[in-house]
Amino acid sequence: MQYQAKKKFGQNFLKDKIYVQKIVQSIPNIHKNEKIVEIGVGLGDLSDELLKLYPIKAYEIDSDLCSLLEKKYSDVLESGRFELINQDVLTLERENGWLHNQDYILVSNLPYYVATHIILGVLKDPLCKGFVVMTQKEVAHKFCAKDGDCDFCALSVLTQTLGDARILFDVPANAFEPMPKVTSSVFMVCKNNKTLQLGFEDMLKTAFCSPRKKLFKNLATRYNKDFVKKIFERLKLQENIRAHELSSPIYHQIFEEIKKER
Ligand code: SAM
């Protein structure tokens, strides 16, 4: 398909078939009632492989691309095996069932400029049961970091709270057209059925607001200093500890302490 990629939509098309196949092979076993959703069809390289195995519902922001795709996929679109929606996913109401009204798995080579936003959206959507996505390598490592890793951050705690995350493989820049400036990574999250407690994410944002500063100082920007001191004493935390040095369960304990005082 002859097409001039648009930078503003993060269009880096995955041209190396080996990586396309590796992504599709990484999809976990799909339950009977689960649907596959793709964000960003692009020229259809990933969708082609997905369609060999599953019916898909896909979103594409670019109407020029959608016109081309409607011709390319006329048969599967007509049969209903492929549902193509010309829409910016960020404009959809992000509540229960953001991208589908049934349980779904997201598989996507995400547009990097909105990847974090989209991942947070599907993490919080109870109908999304898991995802296999490609992002910039640094972003993938933030979502998948384990306790004590230097990448460990609020995103890692949120992900650990809502599922199990795993880096699968890296994809070099020369696998794409046009080539991005960065290396990419594919990672997978299998979600549990937990939901976030109101206020937990805000507490995490505060805890990691200045990653180089001590956790105590960060928390004291939002909560009373004496109160933070009391929590540190109760949980036997050292005052000089930094945010990335604590584990996800400890953040839940801190949150429980904060709730008690509300
Ligand atoms: N799936 C294709 C592939 O692997 O080659 C394309 C991936 S490309 C990195 C990202 C795609 O997402 C582009 O086609 C872009 O137009 C589309 N896109 C960007 N922002 C979007 C948004 N907010 N909602 C829906 N699609 C979007």
Side-chain angles (χ1 to χ4, degrees):
M1 231 192 281
Q2 269 300 333
Y3 181 78
Q4 181 65 45
K6 296 185 181 111
K7 218 173 168 179
K8 66 171 178 182
F9 290 144
Q11 292 179 350
N12 299 99
F13 304 120
L14 183 57
K15 284 308 194 188
D16 189 327
K17 285 254 171 301
I18 303 244
Y19 292 106
V20 176
Q21 280 159 4
K22 274 181 90 168
I23 292 175
V24 176
Q25 284 157 8
S26 307
I27 300 172
N29 284 338
I30 304 288
H31 292 284
K32 254 200 209 144
N33 58 338
E34 287 171 351
K35 303 294 174 194
I36 297 285
V37 170
E38 184 188 6
I39 293 178
V41 178
L43 298 176
D45 295 276
L46 178 56
S47 325
D48 283 344
E49 285 304 308
L50 288 169
L51 282 165
K52 286 180 189 166
L53 299 171
Y54 316 97
I56 59 175
K57 175 170 184 173
Y59 296 87
E60 175 52 65
I61 194 173
D62 184 348
S63 40
D64 295 336
L65 266 181
C66 282
S67 308
L68 295 173
L69 294 167
E70 274 158 19
K71 284 185 200 126
K72 173 176 172 179
Y73 291 106
S74 60
D75 289 351
V76 264
L77 284 168
E78 205 170 313
S79 72
R81 194 170 161 73
F82 188 26
E83 188 183 350
L84 175 63
I85 299 160
N86 182 193
Q87 185 141 20
D88 173 351
V89 290
L90 299 182
T91 62
L92 296 168
E93 271 306 311
R94 215 155 325 163
E95 45 189 44
N96 210 341
W98 176 33
L99 301 171
H100 209 298
N101 57 7
Q102 266 180 270
D103 289 353
Y104 68 93
I105 305 284
L106 173 70
V107 183
S108 175
N109 168 13
L110 287 171
Y112 295 170
Y113 75 109
V114 281
T116 300
H117 224 74
I118 290 173
I119 295 167
L120 284 172
V122 286
L123 268 174
K124 292 179 204 164
D125 181 359
L127 288 195
C128 176
K129 299 299 167 191
F131 49 92
V132 177
V133 293
M134 173 147 56
T135 62
Q136 202 173 315
K137 184 171 179 170
E138 288 74 39
V139 173
H141 280 262
K142 280 186 180 168
F143 279 101
C144 297
K146 303 289 175 235
D147 312 347
D149 290 353
C150 58
D151 292 330
F152 192 71
C153 61
L155 298 177
S156 336
V157 181
L158 281 181
T159 312
Q160 282 190 25
T161 304
L162 298 169
D164 285 323
R166 192 150 58 94
I167 295 282
L168 299 174
F169 52 89
D170 289 347
V171 181
N174 64 10
F176 300 86
E177 262 177 45
M179 261 169 58
K181 290 197 177 75
V182 293
T183 299
S184 306
S185 296
V186 176
F187 72 101
M188 174 164 108
V189 172
C190 294
K191 288 179 63 190
N192 51 39
N193 284 319
K194 292 189 184 144
T195 49
L196 286 183
Q197 290 193 63
L198 199 67
F200 184 64
E201 192 178 0
D202 286 339
M203 182 213 68
L204 284 181
K205 278 187 193 149
T206 310
F208 286 91
C209 62
S210 296
R212 281 164 211 278
K213 280 198 189 150
K214 294 177 183 133
L215 173 68
F216 186 94
K217 277 204 163 159
N218 286 348
L219 287 175
T221 61
R222 181 186 180 118
Y223 307 102
N224 177 287
K225 222 173 172 178
D226 293 332
F227 172 48
V228 178
K229 207 171 174 153
K230 239 197 300 179
I231 294 179
F232 268 58
E233 279 164 10
R234 274 193 224 138
L235 299 179
K236 299 192 173 42
L237 299 175
Q238 290 180 344
E239 269 197 31
N240 61 358
I241 199 150
R242 287 172 206 275
H244 74 274
E245 293 173 322
L246 287 188
S247 68
S248 176
I250 305 274
Y251 278 107
H252 285 277
Q253 287 180 22
I254 295 176
F255 186 61
E256 289 307 313
E257 294 294 332
I258 289 172
K259 270 186 355 193
K260 278 185 210 162
E261 297 286 325
R262 272 191 198 149

